[in-house]
Amino acid sequence: MANTAQLLRRQSSRDIVLKSQKSIDQLELRELRGRLVSKEHGVGHHHHTSLHHHQPMYGATNQGFMSDAFDESSELEQEPTFGSEASTSKAKAELVASALEQQQDIVEGEKEGEERESWDSKIMFLLATIGYAVGLGNVWRFPYLAQKNGGGAFLVPYFIMLCIQGIPIFYLELAIGQRLRKGAIGVWSQVSPYLGGIGISSAVVSYIVALYYNTIIAWCLIYLLHSFESPLPWADCPTRLYANYTYDHEPECVASSPTQFYWYRTTLQCSESVDMPENFNYHMAIALMVSWFLVYICMVQGITSSGKIVYMTAIFPYVVLIIFFFRGITLKGASDGVAHLFTPRWETLLDPVVWLEAGTQIFFSLGLAFGGLIAFSSYNPANNNCYRDALLVSLTNCGTSMFAGVVVFSVIGFKATATFDRCTEERNGLMALNRTQNLPVCDLQRELANSASGTGLAFIIFTEAINQFPGAQLWAVLFFLMLFTLGIDSQFGTLEGVVTSLVDMKLFPNLPKEYIVGGLCFTCCLISMCFANGAGSYIFQLMDSFAGNFPLLVIALFECLSISYIYGVRRFSDDIEMMTGSRPSFYWMFCWKYLSPCAMVTILLASFYQLLTEGSSYPAWIAAKGSTDSMEWPHWCIVVAFFLILSSILWIPIVAVLRLCGIKVVEDSDPAWFPEAELREVHGIVPHEPTELERSIFCFNMDGTEGMCCPKYGLPEKSLEEEE
């Protein structure tokens, strides 16, 4: 049974359009339908009845690969007999011979490797998507932004941006990937040949982000390895041997702190500016090679292999967060830290920067516009409920951010309280000696606010707090292992968008997917050696500041505009109703056509304005002072930043212009096989009659057309008369 179903899956991805070949497929489907086994109804129960009581199927009998071409007549409902099988086989043989004579190239194009994969189970898809969306930003970015931008008041713009920008685009990407059953390049080329650049842009920006994102995984591996040492190497300052054979603590470490020194000087071996890349960092280079090898091992077998790995990588971070939660809330000062995080400062809502950072955080924490979500959903059954998935994953992502904020600030509260107590003890000791001048200023709120975001929070602030835990080695291992699993999970989704696009474009038609993955990881590993030197951390900050924000906003904006004004909101809603059985509400259509594009344009303009007025700088480590100074980017870094942005987004106009000139950057391909007629019958879909509100807001016409939409170049849309 599995072999027959796999044969059907292979045929669904071969773009066979000749009538004679379709006849063969119909006969095979008739034979397959009679042999399908339903868990509830037994062998031979006809398919239409079972689908009404059936959840979307995964694996070998994935319903997304069934044909909509056959006629569901009464003869399909009968149990196949020996005579009918014989006649079917004879007819198939005759049609095969005819097809081979007419189209040799079709047969030559049928290869084992063209079979499209599918998820083994629904839980595997959900865990992979949650692991992709929930990343390092939930742990080290959201808590910092919340306490910085009004505490509990920050949740107001955060959830507003989630509703008008985050969930609508997440829903859009899941739905269009499931409907068109291709990667990002294939999907947007099918919406319109002029839009193929959107998919290429997604693949390029995913490739660039994967380059520097894996550097974080390498840092986590270094810290994880040294977490087994006792005492922890960042617990105390190292000693220096002087010429007179005396020992003393490293002055640079004494001027800063043990965690800062270990991060900047031992791990990163930082130079004093981006213009001075000092010696090659061999430890970092080895860590990068190991991290890329691990990514390759996890991805080489496709989603079937990486999907199984997510059972560990997606669940383990939650286990560690729960452990840290119960440890954190029992620490002295934990309540002060959590109160500092969520105490609302309502006046901050009048600051436009707060809304800008809320929208930016929602956008990037969900992993939108990378192409990974489209690739993941393209492996789903056609009748999967993508609306429920979008809500579940988006709310899980935001809930994780808030839960991680409680965990992080309970620990930061403990660290701040310990620092405050030491300061108070020192102050009281000086006062007891009648010293009233140059007394230390002890302020608990200042210590709580003195938290960092990103790498500073993870590798400096949090590690300093862990140093004060009993059994610090165990907590360090758990923490950095959690960061490692969070990072590599998101890396799967980022690279899957690139790999799926390359496979769907057939750039290497004779190359197995595992070789494509290997070549991709190898080139990334070579390029990432630029992070293995004294200026490597500065190059990382440069790429993180420019390569992964502006291009993604532009790509997501064009995705929204393409669905709303080229593919058509009405047609997109019809597709979702056909797949899920329920039509998107007025709210989602309004977001796709108006609210979400306006929100993204606003964030883009505000970000550019902020960049022009405030400029951009990076914190450079000054060894003599034992601290960081803010330095402006040199001119060559600004050129690199513009190159990173333009190399991602320029594909959108380039592909469109070349297409107008008759040059095809992305080759046309036929639509993937989709059981449209079958889904319509199963869900009882009837032509939707637009309401008065829809006609006035979205310009829906009674004849099925839609106003404010450009001519469509993708899938042909049937008129209402044809559908009836």
Side-chain angles (χ1 to χ4, degrees):
M1 174 59 220
N3 291 335
T4 309
Q6 287 171 2
L7 170 64
L8 178 60
R9 290 167 59 193
R10 288 196 298 270
Q11 289 176 339
S12 69
S13 61
R14 291 172 182 162
D15 302 333
I16 301 172
V17 296
L18 293 181
K19 182 177 180 180
S20 59
Q21 186 67 21
K22 285 185 176 179
S23 300
I24 300 171
D25 300 332
Q26 292 172 16
L27 290 171
E28 289 179 342
L29 282 162
R30 291 182 181 181
E31 183 179 357
L32 176 63
R33 281 301 185 89
R35 297 179 182 177
L36 278 176
V37 179
S38 174
K39 292 181 181 178
E40 297 180 10
H41 302 285
V43 179
H45 193 82
H46 70 84
H47 180 68
H48 176 69
T49 304
S50 66
L51 267 181
H52 280 292
H53 310 282
H54 206 286
Q55 294 298 320
M57 296 185 68
Y58 293 80
T61 53
N62 190 328
Q63 300 290 330
F65 300 98
M66 288 192 172
S67 170
D68 62 340
F70 70 55
D71 177 21
E72 260 194 274
S73 59
S74 59
E75 61 185 10
L76 290 178
E77 301 175 8
Q78 299 175 358
E79 192 74 29
T81 63
F82 177 81
S84 64
E85 289 185 1
S87 60
T88 299
S89 300
K90 182 178 179 181
K92 285 169 60 179
E94 294 175 355
L95 285 169
V96 168
S98 174
L100 287 175
E101 292 175 359
Q102 295 176 13
Q103 288 290 333
Q104 290 293 335
D105 57 326
I106 294 180
V107 179
E108 293 171 2
E110 297 179 356
K111 295 180 181 176
E112 193 74 22
E114 292 180 333
E115 172 185 334
R116 193 169 190 83
E117 299 170 285
S118 63
W119 298 105
D120 283 349
S121 64
K122 179 60 176 265
I123 189 66
M124 184 181 290
F125 163 71
L126 288 176
L127 286 176
T129 310
I130 290 172
Y132 165 68
V134 176
L136 296 167
N138 299 76
V139 175
W140 67 26
R141 180 69 176 163
F142 173 81
Y144 166 76
L145 289 178
Q147 68 89 21
K148 172 190 171 188
N149 294 305
F154 179 73
L155 298 179
V156 175
Y158 182 77
F159 279 103
I160 289 177
M161 288 298 179
L162 173 68
C163 292
I164 69 174
Q165 177 184 274
I167 299 180
I169 302 175
F170 200 94
Y171 185 13
L172 181 149
E173 291 197 351
L174 288 185
I176 197 65
Q178 182 175 315
R179 171 61 183 90
L180 300 183
R181 317 203 65 76
K182 295 184 178 182
I185 294 177
V187 159
W188 298 114
S189 298
Q190 194 164 320
V191 170
S192 170
Y194 297 93
L195 298 177
I198 298 178
I200 297 178
S201 294
S202 292
V204 171
V205 75
S206 296
Y207 182 82
I208 295 174
V209 169
L211 276 174
Y212 72 82
Y213 197 85
N214 214 47
T215 307
I216 304 175
I217 300 176
W219 293 336
C220 294
L221 286 176
I222 293 175
Y223 270 76
L224 179 61
L225 177 64
H226 291 289
S227 295
F228 292 95
E229 299 179 15
S230 181
L232 292 173
W234 51 83
D236 296 302
C237 287
T239 56
R240 172 187 286 188
L241 176 63
Y242 291 94
N244 59 357
Y245 298 100
T246 59
Y247 289 91
D248 196 6
H249 288 297
E250 180 70 44
E252 185 180 344
C253 179
V254 174
S256 55
S257 69
T259 53
Q260 280 185 308
F261 180 83
Y262 188 83
W263 169 243
Y264 285 110
R265 298 298 290 169
T266 305
T267 304
L268 301 181
Q269 299 179 15
C270 275
S271 59
E272 294 198 352
S273 78
V274 71
D275 290 320
M276 296 186 298
E278 294 178 350
N279 297 330
F280 188 75
N281 190 339
Y282 291 98
H283 299 288
M284 188 65 200
I286 294 172
L288 283 168
M289 288 188 284
V290 171
S291 61
W292 278 114
F293 178 73
L294 291 175
V295 170
Y296 168 74
I297 291 297
C298 295
M299 291 190 63
V300 67
Q301 296 300 327
I303 62 165
T304 303
S305 173
S306 59
K308 291 181 174 63
I309 295 171
V310 299
Y311 281 108
M312 193 275 287
T313 57
I315 296 175
F316 181 77
Y318 287 97
V319 175
V320 176
L321 280 176
I322 292 173
I323 294 173
F324 266 98
F325 171 76
F326 286 108
R327 181 68 183 99
I329 60 176
T330 60
L331 296 171
K332 181 183 178 181
S335 58
D336 293 325
V338 176
H340 178 79
L341 174 63
F342 288 115
T343 300
R345 301 187 296 277
W346 299 110
E347 67 276 4
T348 59
L349 295 180
L350 300 177
D351 187 357
V353 175
V354 174
W355 292 81
L356 170 64
E357 294 194 336
T360 306
Q361 173 64 15
I362 280 291
F363 188 89
F364 299 120
S365 68
L366 288 175
L368 304 175
F370 282 102
L373 292 174
I374 294 177
F376 279 176
S377 63
S378 71
Y379 303 124
N380 269 331
N383 57 337
N384 175 62
N385 193 331
C386 53
Y387 172 62
R388 184 174 56 200
D389 295 343
L391 288 179
L392 176 63
V393 176
S394 300
L395 294 178
T396 300
N397 178 75
C398 295
T400 303
S401 296
M402 297 179 64
F403 182 62
V406 173
V407 172
V408 168
F409 266 85
S410 64
V411 176
I412 287 179
F414 162 71
K415 171 185 171 295
T417 301
T419 304
F420 176 76
D421 289 345
R422 287 196 301 269
C423 177
T424 304
E425 183 179 350
E426 181 184 354
R427 181 184 177 90
N428 293 337
L430 291 174
M431 293 179 66
L433 298 174
N434 295 324
R435 295 181 182 179
T436 58
Q437 295 181 346
N438 300 322
L439 292 175
V441 178
C442 305
D443 187 350
L444 179 61
Q445 292 302 315
R446 186 187 65 183
E447 292 295 332
L448 289 170
N450 190 27
S451 60
S453 73
T455 55
L457 174 63
F459 297 105
I460 298 176
I461 304 296
F462 214 86
T463 52
E464 187 174 339
I466 289 177
N467 287 339
Q468 304 174 46
F469 285 8
Q473 287 79 12
L474 173 63
W475 296 105
V477 168
L478 286 176
F479 179 68
F480 291 111
L481 191 57
M482 178 191 71
L483 292 184
F484 170 76
T485 54
L486 282 171
I488 203 166
D489 232 3
S490 299
Q491 187 79 333
F492 290 159
T494 304
L495 280 179
E496 186 62 39
V498 182
V499 174
T500 305
S501 297
L502 291 175
V503 172
D504 287 349
M505 283 184 70
K506 297 182 175 60
L507 291 178
F508 311 100
N510 299 319
L511 204 60
K513 186 176 180 179
E514 53 266 27
Y515 287 97
I516 297 177
V517 174
L520 191 66
C521 291
F522 180 72
T523 57
C524 286
C525 183
L526 288 180
I527 299 174
S528 63
M529 289 299 112
C530 66
F531 302 114
N533 59 73
S537 62
Y538 306 140
I539 299 174
F540 171 87
Q541 293 173 46
L542 177 70
M543 298 181 71
D544 188 41
S545 299
F546 296 99
N549 47 21
F550 296 113
L552 290 174
L553 280 169
V554 173
I555 293 168
L557 175 61
F558 274 93
E559 286 183 353
C560 221
L561 295 176
S562 301
I563 290 296
S564 300
Y565 299 101
I566 296 179
Y567 194 84
V569 171
R570 174 190 174 276
R571 180 180 171 193
F572 189 53
S573 301
D574 290 343
D575 289 343
I576 294 175
E577 183 181 15
M578 177 176 59
M579 293 186 293
T580 65
S582 59
R583 193 172 185 84
S585 65
F586 175 87
Y587 172 77
W588 300 115
M589 293 190 288
F590 189 77
C591 283
W592 291 327
K593 197 154 190 172
Y594 301 114
L595 269 184
S596 297
C598 289
M600 285 183 284
V601 169
T602 302
I603 291 176
L604 268 174
L605 294 178
S607 300
F608 278 121
Y609 176 78
Q610 187 180 40
L611 183 63
L612 291 174
T613 55
E614 300 179 7
S616 179
S617 59
Y618 67 99
W621 179 256
I622 308 300
K625 298 167 57 177
S627 62
T628 58
D629 279 352
S630 181
M631 299 183 66
E632 294 293 327
W633 291 109
H635 294 300
W636 70 268
C637 287
I638 297 175
V639 173
V640 171
F642 274 103
F643 173 77
L644 292 172
I645 296 173
L646 295 178
S647 64
S648 300
I649 63 176
L650 279 183
W651 287 103
I652 299 175
I654 286 175
V655 170
V657 171
L658 291 179
R659 188 80 187 197
L660 285 172
C661 299
I663 302 174
K664 296 181 181 179
V665 178
V666 180
E667 291 296 326
D668 296 333
S669 62
D670 292 325
W673 209 351
F674 191 79
E676 181 174 347
E678 192 172 68
L679 287 173
R680 289 183 184 276
E681 183 174 352
V682 167
H683 294 303
I685 304 298
V686 296
H688 175 69
E689 184 176 339
T691 64
E692 186 64 33
L693 184 62
E694 289 176 341
R695 289 198 296 269
S696 59
I697 299 296
F698 304 117
C699 303
F700 291 171
N701 301 319
M702 295 302 294
D703 61 354
T705 60
E706 181 178 344
M708 297 180 64
C709 268
C710 301
K712 303 175 182 64
Y713 300 95
L715 291 170
E717 184 179 10
K718 297 179 181 179
S719 64
L720 287 176
E721 292 79 12
E722 291 175 339
E723 291 177 351
E724 291 171 352

